[in-house]
């Protein structure tokens, strides 16, 4: 094992790095090539944000029985009708109506066999146990299976599991779902980091670790573990080489070229293929994308994030989220959200690098919120999105990257 003073030179693209759009596309290509990760059966409380690995079929019909769609009276045939009791939602019964008979019902109740319509209270004329009123046959009765027959395919494989999908699955009697979800392991490197309390002089709180579960979930993945390690080649190499069922490894810190940055050396020791080494963007230049070779989980992806939290967020939007979204086939922007708009306010334009600027979005315009230095998350915390300001920007509309919520 090589030590701190004997670092290998990584096989990598030139230190100048890749243009920002090219780096994002490299992450997407790699994600599509790697595929959606492992199939797992998850409970409905776990499955939110995953991707269906198979078609969703109706285990039961919807509605599962002939049900009243209004409060009123289940009637049989033309009126007048004679009342014969009451049925509430959830109540079991074996009532059968004959022509001229009726039963009082609540919305959602199973109507008796023989029901031809439900007469709402407001349309009924009642005199003791005798009803009259005008109602067309079939009105206000939800027939079994009229919405979804039993066994019908209601959603295709590849559907992103939203709250509505979970509700639909529950209504069709599913307790678990087959889900494709990339599993992600994170390694946070840094001698100076502490994870609780007020840091002592020379130490700082880890701000990247608390961000990662939400960022990973926004791409459809799940963060399985987070390891905090001291600076050093041995410790980092051991973490990258450790067996596990994760398909993506995220390394926070150690991706730059300083004396405590060992990610490149660890990747060389493990025979990794480096696909992105540095990106022309500010913040977030020192970021990496690589694939490990060999081992039980061969070809695992490594995403290297800078140690500064603002830069790490920018790098996550550049490499990590496009990678995970491509793996799961999900859109990077939620439906209905604008992807380009006018940018108002003063922005410093860079000659060669893409600027990633925290903005608030008002209708079809965006405005910088400030406080978006590499070491700060203050601007991102107050922002709706990040505006992508290309090199030598001349004032035309800019791309928006919406921040995960």
């Amino acid at each position: 094992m090589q030590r701190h003073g004997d670092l290998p030179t990584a096989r990598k693209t030139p230190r100048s790095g890749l243009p920002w759009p090219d780096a994002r596309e490299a992450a997407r290509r790699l994600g599509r090539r790697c595929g959606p990760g492992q199939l797992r059966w998850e409970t409905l409380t776990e499955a939110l944000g995953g991707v269906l690995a198979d078609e969703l079929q109706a285990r039961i019909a919807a509605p599962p029985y002939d049900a009243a769609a209004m409060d009123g009276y289940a009637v049989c045939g033309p009126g007048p009708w004679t009342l014969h009791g009451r049925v509430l939602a959830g109540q079991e019964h074996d009532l059968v109506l004959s022509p001229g008979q009726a039963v009082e019902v609540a919305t959602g109740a199973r109507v008796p066999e023989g029901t031809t319509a439900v007469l709402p209270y407001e349309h009924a004329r009642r005199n003791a146990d005798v009803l009259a009123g005008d109602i067309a046959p079939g009105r206000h009765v939800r027939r079994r299976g009229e919405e979804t027959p039993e066994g019908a395919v209601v959603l295709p494989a590849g559907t992103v599991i939203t709250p509505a999908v979970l509700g639909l699955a529950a209504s069709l009697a599913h307790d678990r779902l087959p889900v494709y979800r990339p599993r992600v392991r994170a390694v946070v490197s840094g001698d100076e980091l502490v994870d609780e309390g007020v840091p002592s002089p020379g130490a700082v709180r880890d701000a990247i670790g608390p961000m990662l579960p939400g960022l990973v979930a926004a791409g459809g993945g799940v963060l399985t573990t987070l390891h905090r390690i001291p600076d050093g080649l041995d410790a980092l190499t051991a973490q990258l080489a450790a067996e596990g069922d994760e398909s993506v490894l995220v390394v926070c810190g150690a991706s730059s070229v300083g004396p405590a940055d060992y990610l490149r050396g660890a990747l060389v020791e493990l025979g990794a293929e480096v696909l992105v080494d540095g990106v022309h963007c500010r913040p977030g230049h020192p970021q990496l994308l690589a694939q490990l070779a060999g081992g039980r989980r061969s070809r695992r992806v490594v995403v290297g994030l800078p140690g500064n939290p603002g830069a790490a967020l920018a790098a996550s939007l550049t490499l990590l989220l496009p990678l995970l979204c491509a793996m799961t086939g999900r859109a990077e922007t939620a439906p209905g959200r604008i992807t380009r708009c006018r940018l108002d306010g003063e922005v410093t334009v860079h000659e060669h690098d893409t600027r990633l600027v925290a903005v608030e979005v008002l209708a079809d315009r965006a405005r910088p919120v400030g406080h978006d230095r590499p070491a700060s998350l203050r601007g991102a915390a107050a922002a709706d999105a990040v505006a992508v300001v290309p090199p030598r920007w001349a004032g035309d509309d800019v791309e928006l990257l919406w921040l995960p919520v």
Side-chain angles (χ1 to χ4, degrees):
M1 181 76 70
Q2 290 165 314
R3 305 294 173 179
H4 298 180
D6 186 18
L7 298 184
T9 303
R11 299 192 309 269
K12 58 185 184 291
T13 55
R15 278 298 301 135
S16 57
L18 289 179
W20 185 84
D22 295 348
R24 278 174 64 80
E25 187 55 35
R28 293 187 186 109
R29 286 197 304 268
L30 181 57
R32 289 191 290 266
R33 191 164 71 239
C34 290
Q38 293 177 286
L39 187 154
R40 298 171 55 86
W41 283 89
E42 297 184 353
T43 67
L44 298 189
T45 56
E46 298 169 330
L48 182 66
V51 172
L52 284 176
D54 200 355
E55 298 173 333
L56 183 66
Q57 292 185 319
R59 297 186 64 200
I60 59 175
Y65 51 81
D66 292 351
M70 298 281 287
D71 294 323
Y73 306 94
V75 300
C76 181
W81 304 275
T82 303
L83 274 176
H84 291 271
R86 172 186 293 172
V87 177
L88 302 178
Q91 180 179 341
E92 296 185 11
H93 64 82
D94 56 3
L95 296 174
V96 179
L97 295 182
S98 299
Q101 294 182 332
V103 168
E104 189 175 6
V105 292
T107 301
R110 183 169 66 88
V111 299
E113 184 179 342
T115 297
T116 56
V118 169
L119 178 67
Y121 285 133
E122 56 268 31
H123 296 162
R125 300 184 300 276
R126 179 173 176 178
N127 182 10
D129 289 337
V130 177
L131 292 173
D134 297 322
I135 189 71
R139 287 287 288 164
H140 306 308
V141 178
R142 298 175 64 235
R143 296 297 180 185
R144 180 182 186 277
E146 72 175 20
E147 176 68 27
T148 305
E150 183 176 347
V153 175
V154 295
L155 291 173
T159 299
V160 175
I161 300 172
T162 64
V165 170
L166 292 175
L168 175 64
S171 72
L172 298 175
H174 289 273
D175 300 313
R176 300 190 306 155
L177 295 174
V179 176
Y180 280 135
R181 190 189 297 278
R183 292 170 65 78
V184 179
R185 175 155 51 95
V187 179
V188 179
S189 171
D191 292 335
E192 77 282 13
L193 298 177
V194 296
D195 58 7
E196 62 181 5
V198 177
S200 59
V204 295
R205 284 290 299 268
D206 170 26
I208 301 175
M211 282 198 304
L212 284 177
L215 290 172
V216 170
V222 58
L223 185 68
T224 58
T225 54
L226 187 149
H227 298 280
R228 290 184 172 89
I229 62 172
D231 290 322
L233 179 63
D234 292 359
L236 183 54
T237 303
Q239 283 292 332
L240 294 181
E243 293 287 350
D245 63 355
E246 299 87 4
S247 52
V248 178
L249 307 178
V250 177
V251 178
C252 309
S255 66
S256 190
V257 292
D261 293 307
Y262 301 102
L263 180 54
R264 290 175 184 81
L267 292 174
V268 167
E269 287 213 358
L270 296 173
E273 177 188 6
V274 178
L275 304 172
V276 176
D277 188 355
V279 179
H280 290 316
C281 68
R282 296 187 180 216
H285 169 78
Q287 51 185 297
L288 283 160
L289 183 67
Q291 271 195 301
L292 297 176
R296 184 169 61 85
R297 292 291 297 165
S298 62
R299 309 306 289 167
R300 285 185 294 182
V301 177
V302 178
V303 179
L305 304 181
N308 278 323
L313 177 59
S316 296
L317 298 175
T318 302
L319 295 180
L320 180 59
L321 263 65
L323 171 79
L324 293 174
C325 287
M327 291 175 74
T328 56
R330 61 196 293 126
E332 294 177 33
T333 302
R337 283 184 162 177
I338 61 173
T339 57
R340 300 191 68 85
C341 73
R342 181 186 176 102
L343 179 60
D344 295 331
E346 294 186 7
V347 176
T348 301
V349 181
H350 197 272
E351 182 70 15
H352 305 291
D353 291 349
T354 296
R355 291 287 315 281
L356 301 177
V357 181
V359 296
E360 62 175 350
V361 181
L362 303 171
D364 60 348
R365 290 174 179 261
R367 184 178 65 84
V369 298
H371 301 287
D372 54 2
R373 294 178 177 176
S376 175
L377 289 170
R378 182 174 171 181
D384 302 307
V386 168
V388 180
V389 181
R392 299 178 296 280
W393 177 61
D396 48 338
D397 287 356
V398 296
E399 181 181 356
L400 287 180
L401 306 179
W402 289 86
L403 291 168
V405 296

